[in-house]
Amino acid sequence: MITNTVTGAPERLSFGEAFAYWLKLGFISFGGPAGQIAIMHEELVERRRWISESRFLHALNYCMLLPGPEAQQLATYIGWLMHRTWGGIVAGVLFVLPSLFILIGLSWVYMAYGNVPAIAGVFYGIKPAVTALVMHAAYRIGSRTLKNAWLWGIAVAAFIAIFALQLPFPVIVLAAGIIGYLGGRYAPDKFSSGGAHGKAAKSLGPALIDDDTPTPEHALFSWRRFSRVLVTCIALWSAAMGTLMALYGWDAVLTQMGWFFTKAALMTFGGAYAVLPYVFQGAVEHYQWLSAPQMIDGLALGETTPGPLIMVVSFVGFVGGWTKAIFGVDSLFLSGAVAASVVTFFTFLPSFFFILLGAPFIESTHGNLKFTAPLTGITAAVVGVIVNLAVFFAYHVLWPQGLSGHFEWASAFIGAAAAVVLFRFKVGVIPVVLVAGLAGLALTFLRPVFS
């Protein structure tokens, strides 16, 4: 990268330099979407000055409107803006690829050696900490979203709908969106609590893509390009799904995974925690690809690896492929690895679709975007859905044999301690999970001494 010594603004950026950064980001993107976005802001806006803060936030506000992981979509957007379509594909793929490989390795260890006392002990401690993390996520989203009684009412109704009435997650999302649309028309002041990040607060110096930098030619909107991207993305999805159907049939595990996680990818408004109840309903209860305790363990692995949290679906795919032995009992690792890859492909394909299709239009506006009223309603419903998820986790962690079985006092203590450090002391996710895992490991070795 060449830097202008007078202004300090970078003059050009090679594809190789960008590739190296996106690869690095894939290995260091810990901390959930907030942490990942902060990492990109520090590197791309403040230190490297590849993009101005205003243009960065403009792209982020669009990504926050979309279903899917906003940090991964933001990387795709910026990569596309700098180096055309392949720049966006490389940035988006490298954001998740290291996490996929790491999760396949950890999932194999989990399935092959999960019954070893030491590993089982670590997960015994992690499970209650994950329950506290989910409740903390509900609090974070709720504190930003539930600004009035109307939105509180939607959150409570969503909790009742999924907890007591056991309505499917898509039905709840649709109902919340309709309520938000009507509320936006008849009570707009109640549904204007958008999630946009606002305007840039200060200038950080000239950037390669600055506030007044003309939109690159490849980023200009045209119906011809729009149609080409639309046809290409639909063709890619159809080819992948058609191949699975031709090889294995519609009812096969891999085909059903592709279809199910396509639908899941279109419902991730509000982040990964919002769609997890839907994944639970499908993967655990309907398809029985894995058990509820295994799902909790997978979420713990997703919390402690780089990449977006929605990568927990790769664990679901691996365990499902292994459990169903889709390539035979002698090829369990291959079964799991292929299923994890299939699930990841179908989960993230829509993210590339939304960016490559819609980003040229967004670049042509250069205005601040806001959440629409329907999305505000959906986000409020997400809070109730996540609280239900926390209740579900707590039940399986504290009463592993059901309410008629024994109560896990040690798990309750670990979960309470994790909640205190999360809510009161604002400790990060990874330290909480690691300490909880060590506590579980210690209990494994201490129990025989005191029994």
Side-chain angles (χ1 to χ4, degrees):
M1 179 176 64
I2 297 178
T3 301
N4 186 309
T5 56
V6 177
T7 65
E11 292 181 344
R12 61 184 174 88
L13 173 69
S14 71
F15 188 87
E17 288 177 283
F19 183 96
Y21 172 74
W22 298 125
L23 179 62
K24 170 189 172 183
L25 181 65
F27 284 99
I28 64 171
S29 56
F30 293 94
Q36 293 155 0
I37 290 168
I39 290 172
M40 281 190 283
H41 183 273
E42 180 180 358
E43 283 283 324
L44 302 183
V45 176
E46 297 181 13
R47 195 170 74 83
R48 300 173 188 257
R49 296 202 296 281
W50 289 356
I51 186 170
S52 70
E53 185 163 7
S54 177
R55 297 289 281 268
F56 180 91
L57 294 177
H58 182 72
L60 175 58
N61 287 339
Y62 171 59
C63 295
M64 291 188 69
L65 289 170
L66 302 174
E70 62 260 36
Q72 186 263 351
Q73 290 169 331
L74 178 61
T76 304
Y77 190 115
I78 296 175
W80 162 82
L81 191 58
M82 292 191 299
H83 292 110
R84 311 173 69 90
T85 299
W86 278 110
I89 292 173
V90 165
V93 168
L94 291 181
F95 196 92
V96 301
L97 200 60
S99 180
L100 174 62
F101 291 142
I102 292 170
L103 275 173
I104 286 177
L106 292 176
S107 300
W108 171 74
V109 171
Y110 175 82
M111 294 302 293
Y113 302 104
N115 291 326
V116 174
I119 295 179
V122 169
F123 280 100
Y124 177 86
I126 286 176
K127 284 184 175 71
V130 168
T131 303
L133 287 170
V134 175
M135 185 57 73
H136 189 244
Y139 168 77
R140 290 199 324 267
I141 298 174
S143 62
R144 293 198 310 264
T145 304
L146 307 181
K147 302 297 186 181
N148 56 66
W150 288 58
L151 299 178
W152 270 99
I154 293 175
V156 172
F159 174 79
I160 294 172
I162 197 168
F163 178 79
L165 304 180
Q166 297 183 341
L167 293 181
F169 181 68
V171 173
I172 297 172
V173 169
L174 178 62
I178 293 173
I179 293 172
Y181 171 76
L182 295 174
R185 292 193 63 182
Y186 299 108
D189 57 318
K190 304 296 183 182
F191 287 83
S192 60
S193 55
H197 280 245
K199 297 182 179 180
K202 59 180 180 178
S203 172
L204 296 167
L208 179 64
I209 302 175
D210 216 337
D211 294 353
D212 55 356
T213 301
T215 301
E217 184 178 353
H218 72 271
L220 295 173
F221 179 82
S222 72
W223 285 111
R224 181 181 178 183
R225 183 189 180 280
F226 181 91
S227 302
R228 186 168 64 247
V229 172
L230 179 64
V231 170
T232 301
C233 289
I234 292 176
L236 278 174
W237 183 89
S238 300
M241 183 60 68
T243 300
L244 292 177
M245 289 181 62
L247 292 176
Y248 307 110
W250 174 251
D251 294 325
V253 171
L254 289 178
T255 310
Q256 289 297 303
M257 282 183 172
W259 176 240
F260 175 76
F261 283 102
T262 295
K263 293 184 291 182
L266 299 176
M267 298 175 190
T268 50
F269 293 100
Y273 281 112
V275 80
L276 284 177
Y278 178 66
V279 175
F280 255 86
Q281 286 181 332
V284 176
E285 298 174 2
H286 180 69
Y287 294 105
Q288 297 180 344
W289 292 326
L290 74 172
S291 67
Q294 287 174 328
M295 185 68 188
I296 301 173
D297 293 337
L299 183 56
L301 291 179
E303 288 277 18
T304 53
T305 52
L309 180 57
I310 195 61
M311 284 300 295
V312 68
V313 301
S314 303
F315 173 87
V316 173
F318 187 97
V319 174
W322 179 295
T323 302
K324 301 298 183 181
I326 56 179
F327 296 134
V329 294
D330 295 326
S331 302
L332 294 179
F333 175 80
L334 179 64
S335 298
V338 169
S341 301
V342 166
V343 165
T344 303
F345 173 83
F346 282 100
T347 299
F348 284 94
L349 180 61
S351 292
F352 292 95
F353 170 78
F354 288 129
I355 295 301
L356 297 178
L357 193 69
F361 172 76
I362 300 305
E363 276 299 304
S364 70
T365 63
H366 280 216
N368 289 317
L369 297 177
K370 298 180 180 180
F371 278 114
T372 63
L375 187 56
T376 299
I378 291 172
T379 307
V382 159
V383 178
V385 169
I386 296 176
V387 171
N388 170 74
L389 185 66
V391 172
F392 184 89
F393 279 8
Y395 172 76
H396 284 278
V397 169
L398 301 178
W399 290 276
Q401 280 82 44
L403 290 175
S404 59
H406 69 282
F407 181 81
E408 287 287 344
W409 288 103
S411 293
F413 176 80
I414 294 174
V420 169
V421 298
L422 284 168
F423 283 89
R424 176 67 178 86
F425 299 105
K426 316 296 184 185
V427 177
V429 169
I430 293 177
V432 171
V433 172
L434 291 179
V435 172
L438 291 175
L441 181 62
L443 284 172
T444 300
F445 291 103
L446 291 176
R447 273 177 173 168
V449 176
F450 295 101
S451 60

